Amino acid sequence: MRDLFFVAFLGLFFLMGFRRPFLLVAVYAYIDIVSPQRLSYFLLNSIPISFIAFAAMVGAWLLVDDKKDCRFSARQGLMLMLLAWCGYTTMTADFPVEALTKWNWVWKAIIAGVFLPLVLRTRLRIEALALFMILCASTIIINGGMKTALSGGGYGVLNLMVDNNSGLYEGSIISCVAIALIPLILWVANHGTIFPSDWKTSGFCYALCLACLLMPVGTEARTGLVCIVVLAGLMLMRSKRKFVYGPLMLLAALVSIPFLPASFTQRMQTIENHQGDESASTRVAVWMWTLDYVKQHPGGGGFDNYLQNSFTYVAQSTVTDGGGTRIERRIVTDRGRAYHSAYFELLGEQGYVGFALWALLHLICFVRTESIRRLYRKRDGPDEAWIAPFAVALQQGHIIYMIGSLFVGIAYQPFIFMMLALQIGLDTYLTRRRKAAARQSLGASLAMQRGLPA
């Protein structure tokens, strides 16, 4: 029954896309974020629906969409350079079979990041993509938030609709993404135009923000707690009443502690001492191995080259028995551990060149979004009041994601390339608006000089 529902839903979605081609972008976002093929028992598992949605989206743009306002930015060029380099390292990978498996979805995520800004030509389209990213992720977040509120969740225990612990269904990843979405959700509540700005829209947005905050609790992901702290700091930095909201945030955090599961607080305590937790200890050891690896292989080892790592580290734990409480240290040997960091993932797999391209791409996006915020922060006209808050929301979400990715291997996730596409699309859209306004102003000035009506 579930399979039939998904087939009918996607079929209707695709049919609507043939009438309104931009809806095929929404179909692509839905499939790459929610991954309905993982929720299906058998009907969708045998069909490459992600590639079909991608091909339909690009094909509709090529055949019927207006291309006169399309602009290609330097950041899209950087994505293409990163894609080419990833292709090269895949061909020379240390583990060719495993690298090709990862390449099969990474190339599509990067190409989508290059393509999406070309179709984001209007405010409606930009807002629609942001809204669909929120709504698609909310299908996972609401489910996880409700289960957390009712059962408390647990590390590796919270079931997010599927048993496959990958993509956005992995605890640390969904915790990072959920917190990164909160600024965008609040922007929709205050400035969105697709849904009416009434109590129902605001109520849903605030409830969804609560569900987002519950995700790190339910998954017991330390990454999520770090992201919450970063979000609080960013929001406080932009607030005009720092000395009012700052103490209130601190009070809310203190009041919430007694209501948190004991397992959550115990796990969060391992942030202070990474040697007390095996997962944290292996991450540090993998990072050290990666630094040594790229010294010998500056070009990287291709996707999933971490499979060859082997290291020994010292782990410590607190033991309480009849002799009292003491700290025991032990030497642990491990191998084939994943990077658990987007930064080391890029460095190990793509070497110095790939890491530089990736870092430069994110840095330019951050700088350009900050420029937009500063340019439009004092404009409160009906057509421009939404721009600076939207730039701030994108910037804050981007920062949260990048800090969260310090501890999770999410460098190539389709979600971040959609967020980058939103930033590039907003930039190119506003640039076109400014140029059009400048041409109109110049035309009016020339008309006045010639004594003609403007």
Side-chain angles (χ1 to χ4, degrees), residues 145-222:
M146 292 179 65
K147 289 180 178 178
T148 300
L150 295 174
S151 66
Y155 182 68
V157 174
L158 187 66
N159 189 310
L160 298 173
M161 298 190 290
V162 296
D163 294 329
N164 188 345
N165 191 28
S166 60
L168 292 191
Y169 292 98
E170 197 277 328
S172 296
I173 297 177
I174 189 60
S175 296
C176 175
V177 168
I179 304 304
L181 277 174
I182 289 179
L184 274 178
I185 297 170
L186 294 176
W187 181 87
V188 169
N190 296 316
H191 300 279
T193 58
I194 294 178
F195 289 103
S197 299
D198 54 18
W199 65 271
K200 290 178 288 186
T201 301
S202 299
F204 174 81
C205 289
Y206 295 138
L208 182 56
C209 287
L210 176 60
C212 290
L213 292 171
L214 287 175
M215 287 307 301
V217 178
T219 60
E220 294 187 359
R222 290 164 297 196

Side-chain angles (χ1 to χ4, degrees), residues 13-32:
F13 220 161
F14 274 110
L15 288 175
M16 292 172 61
F18 289 117
R19 184 174 179 83
R20 292 287 186 271
F22 182 76
L23 288 179
L24 294 173
V25 174
V27 176
Y28 167 78
Y30 170 77
I31 292 174
D32 263 30

